[in-house]
Amino acid sequence: MSKVVIKAESLGKRYRVGERERYLALRDVLAGFVRAPLRRNGRRRSKDYLWALRDVSLDVEQGEVVGLIGRNGAGKTTLLKILSRITRPTEGYAEIHGRVGSLLEVGTGFHPELTGRENVYLSGAILGMRKSEINRKFDEIVSFAGVERFIDTPLKHFSTGMQMRLAFAVAAHLEPEILLVDEVLAVGDTEFQKKCLGKMQDVSKSGRTIVFVSHQMNQIRRLCERLLWIDAGRIQQSGPAGEVIAAYEAATMKGAQEHHGVAGSPIFLGWELGDAGNILKDGSKEITLNFIISPKEAVRRGHFGLTIRNGEGVAVGGWGFDDLSLEAGVHQLHFTLPYLPLRPGTYTIICSLFNGGNNLTGGKMLEHWNAVPFLAVDTLPLSHQQDAWAGILNIAANLEISTHNRDRKDVRAQAGMIEAESKFDST
Amino acid sequence: MSAITETPILVELPVLRITPPSRWWTIPFSELWEYRELLYFFVWRDIKIRYKQTAIGAAWAVLQPFLTMVVFTVIFGKFANIGSDGLPYEIFYYSALLPWMYFAAALQNATNTVVENQRLITKVYFPRLVLPLSSVLSGLVDFGVSFLLFIAMMVYYRVRPTAAILWFPAFLLLAILTALGVGLWLSALNAIYRDVRYVLPFLVQFWLFASPVIYSSSRVPAKWRWLYGLNPMAGVIEGCRWSLTGRGRPPAGPVFVSLGAVIAVLLGGVAFFQKLETTVADVV
């Protein structure tokens, strides 16, 4: 049985509105005294307070990587701050077993006047490393950051990228039993991000527990097994990563789609994915989408159209079927695809039903319908690690390298690769 | 509450309980000890940064008390002819300026420390007491440097130290505790009310006149001496002057009163600071 290392029981954090990010000046207090008689009857009104977090309970087991998702201001960072003891809860309690390291910011404690070397020690100590530990890891940290040549230069002469790399390198070499991370991977160039992601995965493999906040769903999918979705200070849903992301993205999209007013339909009554509800677990096998429809009139030379769109509204596939004959009453349409290799995410299915032809042959549209709830694809991500390059398809690919002994010119001449010369060189 | 017993406890890992702030406070000695390396690094950072980009660097640590001593000697010693208990004015003033300059600088550092480190406070946990503690300790290096000049002056003016000098570390400790106690109050207050930093220069100036730096406490009527001792710096400065030069009688009475006052200020400061500590990340 796994051991629970973080246990929180109905945690809550209340802020006075306006208290955060603000300090008092004496005159405010004096003004408060003057105004006090007006407020004397009755305590402070409840609208002066804001619960940034309320009634949050969770158990995190040793070695788990738990992701926190939610909109900005939903309370994710507040939860991390309570667990890392930066701020105290207003109610509830948490128990933590083991040394906690928190990374709420990259470069915490860096000072521009100190050299790179001095900053490594200072920042390391602030993040909770022992001096002996830093001594031991110093060379590794510096080479991870790739700043060997500048290590004895004051930090203010470093480029921003170098500062960030050094800062993350220090943080990445923390070895607490529990690591709390707040969206810090979004630094540096893509090459460095990849390195950091790899480092995080190493950390989680070595049995340490990670609680991780991110807005990048691809990162979350890669790193976390379990997710907590926090909304307005409360846990909205918790569970396996794919399911929670699907629900979260569906909710985000629902908000965006409600404007179109397509919910509630007289003809399309519902749909399901084989017998798996609306979650697609494996895109490499045959799948069947069943639609339940109930036309009010007989359909002759009818047309059924179906398009799948991704979260950004891009059509990833569409199919049309003509010459359908349906009587009035309830029918099921079984739509089968041999495979559907889509990248994990949330998709919408848009269907339409025409009578007497399709839109080009003078048919009449009976109904146009957005499948609700959405189709969630929860498969293993197989494409590029970064959202920007991963595209739509999710297909496992393989890369092999074969090396030629002849020199490059001969190979190019032989293979007719002269045109590709510049491309070859730039990579 | 039965949930706690169901939780499997990891024997090898320390268990930490995070709860809403309680009304009681304690001095977290064991935690401070655990964070001693961080304290060391904060002190080290303060010292490293203090004289960066200055032309003469650590010489300021000597120049500040030295120039003040010259001014005091000329104005209060030669012109106003305030008595110096038979000591050369230079020695009389410098021996008092040593602890006083340390105290004034430590207050200055401590007052700003919470505000200056607000980014750290909102991003990382460490016992916040480390901050005022480090700002009070980092001033000791300046103190050490300016003390070297004092040794040279003792040789030059042929003032031979007596056995009383063995008491000096005790008075230095008292000075540190005083600076820490007052610094705790000021740093916490400054985090809530930024007015404090504008008040501080006046406070330091008035405190200077209320302490036996310019004059000797022998000028204070004997029956009011104990009251005078309520100013902890009175005990510290008189004690330093006596232990360093060996002149006069040990200021035992006022020192005991000062000691009591220091303990009261220090405990109150810790309590006040800790009360702030629970909310400081939300306030600064």
Side-chain angles (χ1 to χ4, degrees):
Chain A
M1 181 189 158
S2 293
K3 300 152 174 174
V4 173
V5 288
I6 301 176
K7 178 178 185 58
E9 204 52 63
S10 31
L11 280 180
K13 176 74 186 177
R14 191 180 62 181
Y15 286 107
R16 233 165 73 196
V17 175
E19 184 180 50
R20 218 171 163 184
E21 308 287 332
R22 184 174 165 273
Y23 59 86
L24 291 163
L26 199 54
R27 82 186 127 81
D28 294 335
V29 176
L30 297 177
F33 278 125
V34 177
R35 257 186 270 123
L38 302 173
R39 257 212 297 238
R40 186 157 292 167
N41 26 353
R43 271 185 248 121
R44 208 170 262 284
R45 290 154 302 169
S46 62
K47 70 171 184 183
D48 291 343
Y49 292 112
L50 172 84
W51 286 93
L53 207 63
R54 193 91 203 251
D55 214 13
V56 169
S57 301
L58 69 144
D59 283 331
V60 179
E61 289 173 359
Q62 188 172 25
E64 250 193 316
V65 182
V66 175
L68 297 179
I69 57 173
R71 287 176 297 131
N72 285 329
K76 307 180 296 283
T77 304
T78 306
L79 179 57
L80 281 196
K81 282 190 174 178
I82 290 175
L83 293 179
S84 55
R85 284 201 287 169
I86 292 165
T87 186
R88 303 280 287 265
T90 312
E91 55 178 36
Y93 71 91
E95 271 181 352
I96 298 203
H97 303 259
R99 203 152 71 99
V100 178
S102 58
L103 281 181
L104 268 62
E105 177 192 55
V106 169
T108 309
F110 267 27
H111 198 288
E113 296 286 347
L114 299 175
T115 67
R117 179 185 304 275
E118 290 163 344
N119 270 305
V120 168
Y121 278 91
L122 182 62
S123 180
I126 287 168
L127 292 174
M129 277 196 240
R130 299 244 169 264
K131 196 171 171 219
S132 52
E133 203 179 333
I134 308 173
N135 283 336
R136 204 171 63 239
K137 293 179 184 163
F138 186 81
D139 293 336
E140 208 182 315
I141 290 174
V142 174
S143 72
F144 187 90
V147 294
E148 291 92 338
R149 279 179 55 214
F150 310 97
I151 198 64
D152 288 309
T153 317
L155 197 73
K156 59 184 176 183
H157 300 314
F158 277 46
S159 73
T160 318
M162 274 159 57
Q163 290 190 19
M164 284 298 181
R165 290 211 302 274
L166 186 62
F168 193 90
V170 177
H173 288 80
L174 272 178
E175 282 180 357
E177 284 96 16
I178 300 166
L179 192 59
L180 308 173
V181 186
D182 189 5
E183 191 117 55
V184 290
L185 290 181
V187 300
D189 46 63
T190 48
E191 188 60 27
F192 189 70
Q193 276 188 10
K194 212 191 272 177
K195 223 156 125 186
C196 296
L197 218 56
K199 185 81 191 172
M200 291 272 289
Q201 269 161 341
D202 290 351
V203 169
S204 65
K205 277 189 200 114
S206 63
R208 277 185 281 274
T209 313
I210 302 179
V211 179
F212 178 55
V213 168
S214 177
H215 287 108
Q216 295 205 44
M217 293 302 148
N218 228 5
Q219 266 183 4
I220 290 257
R221 270 196 196 92
R222 247 155 223 285
L223 285 169
C224 310
E225 300 116 48
R226 196 153 73 85
L227 288 189
L228 293 177
W229 165 22
I230 297 184
D231 193 46
R234 288 166 192 272
I235 294 183
Q236 186 77 17
Q237 191 176 342
S238 84
E243 274 174 38
V244 179
I245 291 181
Y248 171 65
E249 286 188 334
T252 325
M253 278 166 73
K254 209 170 204 161
Q257 301 237 339
E258 261 160 16
H259 302 291
H260 302 300
V262 277
S265 146
I267 296 181
F268 281 93
L269 300 179
W271 70 281
E272 57 178 13
L273 179 68
D275 46 8
N278 63 339
I279 296 177
L280 177 65
K281 295 273 190 193
D282 184 354
S284 65
K285 295 211 177 80
E286 185 180 277
I287 63 155
T288 302
L289 296 165
N290 299 323
F291 296 89
I292 304 164
I293 61 169
S294 163
K296 305 281 180 288
E297 53 190 276
V299 174
R300 296 288 173 261
R301 286 177 58 242
H303 169 87
F304 172 67
L306 180 154
T307 298
I308 298 177
R309 291 188 172 184
N310 72 2
E312 282 115 48
V314 177
V316 298
W319 298 268
F321 304 90
D322 285 319
D323 290 327
L324 308 177
S325 277
L326 295 165
E327 301 305 321
V330 179
H331 305 273
Q332 266 207 42
L333 305 179
H334 307 285
F335 171 79
T336 305
L337 289 170
Y339 37 75
L340 185 56
L342 289 180
R343 201 153 67 92
T346 313
Y347 295 82
T348 47
I349 302 168
I350 299 145
C351 309
S352 59
L353 189 66
F354 283 71
N355 196 359
N358 58 30
N359 59 332
L360 296 176
T361 57
K364 174 184 153 222
M365 187 168 81
L366 298 177
E367 199 172 270
H368 168 100
W369 184 66
N370 268 16
V372 180
F374 304 86
L375 170 69
V377 178
D378 178 21
T379 53
L380 223 59
L382 301 168
S383 40
H384 201 285
Q385 296 93 322
Q386 290 155 34
D387 286 346
W389 302 106
I392 290 163
L393 295 176
N394 190 44
I395 303 175
N398 192 30
L399 179 72
E400 270 180 35
I401 298 173
S402 55
T403 310
H404 293 270
N405 294 327
R406 284 169 291 175
D407 80 39
R408 264 173 51 186
K409 212 161 91 189
D410 295 342
V411 174
R412 275 207 306 271
Q414 192 185 10
M417 281 170 65
I418 304 299
E419 281 173 26
E421 183 177 14
S422 63
K423 206 172 184 182
F424 192 91
D425 285 340
S426 69
T427 46
Chain B
M1 284 292 135
S2 64
I4 303 169
T5 50
E6 285 163 25
T7 311
I9 301 294
L10 302 182
V11 201
E12 70 276 23
L13 296 180
V15 181
L16 174 80
R17 220 180 131 85
I18 298 167
T19 54
S22 76
R23 288 175 46 216
W24 305 101
W25 60 274
T26 49
I27 303 180
F29 285 114
S30 63
E31 201 183 23
L32 284 175
W33 178 247
E34 207 179 301
Y35 279 84
R36 62 192 182 280
E37 283 194 350
L38 183 62
L39 176 64
Y40 162 79
F41 274 113
F42 277 152
V43 172
W44 170 84
R45 175 190 68 174
D46 282 0
I47 294 166
K48 276 256 171 191
I49 292 165
R50 187 168 306 148
Y51 297 113
K52 283 257 164 151
Q53 284 216 346
T54 56
I56 57 169
W60 280 113
V62 177
L63 267 184
Q64 282 173 329
F66 180 76
L67 293 176
T68 314
M69 178 271 287
V70 170
V71 171
F72 282 6
T73 303
V74 171
I75 294 176
F76 298 112
K78 307 290 190 228
F79 293 168
N81 220 351
I82 294 175
S84 64
D85 292 347
L87 283 164
Y89 277 115
E90 290 81 356
I91 294 284
F92 178 80
Y93 285 127
Y94 201 83
S95 62
L97 280 169
L98 274 176
W100 177 257
M101 284 289 191
Y102 163 75
F103 177 72
L107 282 197
Q108 180 84 38
N109 289 342
T111 301
N112 292 322
T113 189
V114 170
V115 174
E116 274 170 6
N117 289 290
Q118 55 177 293
R119 270 181 74 96
L120 268 189
I121 288 174
T122 55
K123 299 295 179 193
V124 182
Y125 175 80
F126 52 88
R128 312 307 189 193
L129 272 173
V130 169
L131 286 175
L133 207 53
S134 71
S135 57
V136 165
L137 292 180
S138 71
L140 285 175
V141 175
D142 281 10
F143 178 87
V145 173
S146 50
F147 192 76
L148 293 177
L149 180 68
F150 183 72
I151 295 174
M153 285 170 62
M154 294 275 276
V155 173
Y156 182 81
Y157 288 100
R158 292 167 203 278
V159 180
R160 190 182 290 269
T162 64
I165 203 159
L166 294 176
W167 281 97
F168 178 68
F171 290 112
L172 181 59
L173 183 66
L174 194 63
I176 295 169
L177 292 180
T178 309
L180 181 62
V182 181
L184 283 170
W185 280 97
L186 291 179
S187 63
L189 278 171
N190 191 39
I192 316 173
Y193 310 110
R194 300 293 150 93
D195 310 66
V196 173
R197 80 173 91 174
Y198 302 108
V199 174
L200 186 69
F202 297 104
L203 179 76
V204 170
Q205 205 165 22
F206 293 144
W207 206 321
L208 172 68
F209 292 120
S211 307
V213 178
I214 295 169
Y215 51 89
S216 161
S217 63
S218 58
R219 291 292 195 92
V220 178
K223 62 175 177 175
W224 296 115
R225 266 320 140 74
W226 65 272
L227 190 65
Y228 189 64
L230 278 180
N231 167 10
M233 284 314 283
V236 167
I237 290 169
E238 235 12 86
C240 283
R241 197 179 262 154
W242 164 75
S243 61
L244 287 174
T245 63
R247 298 293 168 88
R249 273 175 298 120
V255 166
F256 279 118
V257 180
S258 290
L259 190 62
V262 166
I263 289 169
V265 169
L266 193 58
L267 291 182
V270 172
F272 184 61
F273 191 86
Q274 294 231 301
K275 194 165 160 44
L276 175 91
E277 187 180 34
T278 59
T279 57
V280 67
D282 309 327
V283 174
V284 284

